[in-house]
Amino acid sequence: MELAFLNPLYEHPGSWASAYVDLSQHDADMHHQRHLTAEAVSRGLREQGADEATCRAVRDALEELVRSTEPYGRALFARDGEVALQVPLTQTPPQGLVHWGTLPHVTPLLDLAGEDPVSLVAYIDRTGADFELRSAVLQEEAGHVTGSRQWPMHRAKASDWSERHFQLKVENTWEHNAREIAEALAACQADTGADLLILCGEERECRSVHEQLPRHLHDRAVRTAHGIGSRLLPREVEEIRARHVRERILAEVDRYRAARTRDEERRTAAVEGVPQLIEAAREHRLAELLIRPDGPDTHREVWVGEDPDQLAARRTELRNLGEEHAWPARADDALVRAAVVTDAPVLSLTPVVEATGEEIPAGGMGALLRWT
């Protein structure tokens, strides 16, 4: 998950309030329940030591969401009496997920707002295609393309030369239209930034379009059989998107496993465990941070300074490094901060645990390194 949007949270030192709020209820009692939620969140932050101005800012922001129709919820991050960032969620958060601490508690975002690939669905037939954008919170039309060749479309029985000649014209028409559909689909992907292309229709037409796509889009495209003119149900799109995310994460885990193998000089391109991760973060070597949000090391206490690369397992280590100020923080929040400011992506391994039961890396956190 790319977390560059979190950079504003790391521009100022100081304690942060983090709250993950369920907005999935949309019945007659919705307004009353959301008022109660706003009060409960404010109270929970106050009990953890948050200042009154920040508690009030969070409560006021939640009161403004009383009539929200968002399907899942929202994360809010606040300090010094001001809400600095709000993030729509793509999954419903657990109740009571509030945190007051030295750093914003952003790790839950990896599962609650992360890995939500925007999908560009192409409903393909022999004459053209309709495009549609889909995500957890989005469904809208994205255009249409009509192939410039509309005749002939159907193959005849190849019993003599003329019929075989006609069949060749049909094949040429299909291939020509497939090329135009692929070009339009690639242009639409570039315009929308879609992460995943779903080709929907008869197997032959979808395969032809897939083969005509630019090479860099081949791994982003999946084919699904569907009747001509029918539309994918939200459940079907969600299953395709979830499978795509899971396969991508499994590929990254395989890359991480391979990187742990020592080279001829006994070096590895991956590390795990808080001490080694801290060392890599201080040296700006994090290429990709891997986290199991429920891993035992995620809530381990570390010490941080004002700058993201000022972190240590013990307070005395920061003093030895010349840092005068030090505050305790969760290990996951400190390492995510270090990853974000050095443009390193952060990946949740929850889908891997759910799919395989494998708890990797040890302790719940590991990283691929920029150099060894």
Side-chain angles (χ1 to χ4, degrees):
M1 182 179 182
E2 300 293 339
L3 297 175
F5 67 92
L6 294 179
N7 268 301
L9 302 184
Y10 303 126
E11 293 175 354
H12 306 285
S15 295
W16 283 87
S18 308
Y20 294 80
V21 184
D22 181 0
L23 298 175
S24 62
Q25 182 181 359
H26 300 111
D27 56 23
D29 197 38
M30 175 183 73
H31 295 171
H32 176 65
Q33 289 298 324
R34 290 185 180 176
H35 281 302
L36 295 179
T37 296
E39 292 294 335
V41 167
S42 178
R43 184 169 57 253
L45 290 170
R46 190 179 299 110
E47 291 172 352
Q48 293 183 36
D51 61 276
E52 187 59 36
T54 299
C55 292
R56 184 168 55 251
V58 172
R59 185 182 65 243
D60 291 347
L62 292 178
E63 291 286 359
E64 294 178 2
L65 297 174
V66 164
R67 292 177 175 81
S68 171
T69 58
E70 291 181 23
Y72 301 104
R74 193 174 291 198
L76 296 89
F77 303 95
R79 64 180 294 274
D80 289 345
E82 181 180 355
V83 175
L85 181 66
Q86 298 189 41
V87 182
L89 304 180
T90 58
Q91 294 187 42
T92 303
Q95 290 187 351
L97 184 50
V98 298
H99 179 77
W100 173 255
T102 303
L103 298 174
H105 184 39
V106 299
T107 306
L109 287 176
L110 300 178
D111 287 333
L112 298 177
E115 300 303 327
D116 178 28
V118 174
S119 303
L120 179 57
V121 184
Y123 297 101
I124 300 167
D125 61 29
R126 297 172 184 176
T127 63
D130 294 322
F131 300 150
E132 183 181 53
L133 281 178
R134 295 280 198 100
S135 75
V137 295
L138 172 72
Q139 181 174 348
E140 63 181 36
E141 298 300 318
H144 173 82
V145 58
T146 300
S148 60
R149 295 187 182 179
Q150 299 297 304
W151 184 91
M153 283 294 169
H154 302 285
R155 287 185 284 181
K157 293 181 180 180
S159 57
D160 57 28
W161 181 88
S162 63
E163 289 178 342
R164 287 195 297 272
H165 182 67
F166 183 84
Q167 180 175 325
L168 180 60
K169 287 187 175 181
V170 171
E171 295 284 350
N172 290 339
T173 297
W174 285 6
E175 291 304 315
H176 178 87
N177 287 349
R179 183 164 54 253
E180 292 187 340
I181 293 170
E183 290 172 353
L185 183 58
C188 190
Q189 186 278 330
D191 289 340
T192 61
D195 306 288
L196 177 64
L197 306 179
I198 302 176
L199 311 184
C200 182
E202 297 297 332
E203 197 278 335
R204 181 184 180 89
E205 284 75 23
C206 290
R207 184 177 69 249
S208 296
V209 172
H210 195 178
E211 291 172 351
Q212 298 284 355
L213 285 171
R215 185 170 299 276
H216 72 278
L217 293 180
H218 281 191
D219 291 341
R220 293 193 182 193
V222 297
R223 303 198 299 264
T224 179
H226 236 255
I228 295 176
S230 62
R231 290 298 188 258
L232 290 175
L233 298 174
R235 172 185 52 79
E236 294 174 300
V237 175
E238 179 55 34
E239 289 174 355
I240 294 170
R241 292 167 65 248
R243 184 167 62 250
H244 170 76
V245 169
R246 185 168 57 251
E247 290 173 353
R248 189 181 70 79
I249 294 175
L250 286 170
E252 288 300 294
V253 170
D254 287 342
R255 193 161 74 96
Y256 171 78
R257 287 196 190 96
R260 291 192 303 179
T261 302
R262 295 186 181 276
D263 61 16
E264 295 178 353
E265 299 181 12
R266 306 286 298 168
R267 299 174 304 180
T268 65
V271 294
E272 62 186 5
V274 172
Q276 288 183 290
L277 287 166
I278 285 176
E279 181 181 358
R282 283 204 297 246
E283 297 174 352
H284 297 192
R285 296 174 60 200
L286 299 177
E288 183 175 52
L289 185 63
L290 286 69
I291 294 182
R292 285 189 288 115
D294 61 347
D297 280 352
T298 56
H299 50 77
R300 178 173 166 179
E301 183 181 84
V302 299
W303 291 84
V304 298
E306 292 186 1
D307 295 329
D309 57 2
Q310 295 170 339
L311 66 164
R314 291 181 294 275
R315 186 173 190 174
T316 53
E317 291 181 41
L318 279 184
R319 289 177 178 170
N320 293 337
L321 292 171
E323 176 58 32
E324 296 181 3
H325 305 289
W327 300 272
R330 288 176 56 113
D332 55 353
D333 292 331
L335 288 165
V336 169
R337 179 176 72 154
V340 168
V341 299
T342 55
D343 298 322
V346 184
L347 192 67
S348 169
L349 300 180
T350 297
V352 174
V353 177
E354 293 176 346
T356 68
E358 184 177 6
E359 296 188 354
I360 183 173
M365 294 190 293
L368 288 159
L369 302 180
R370 284 199 165 102
W371 41 268
T372 57

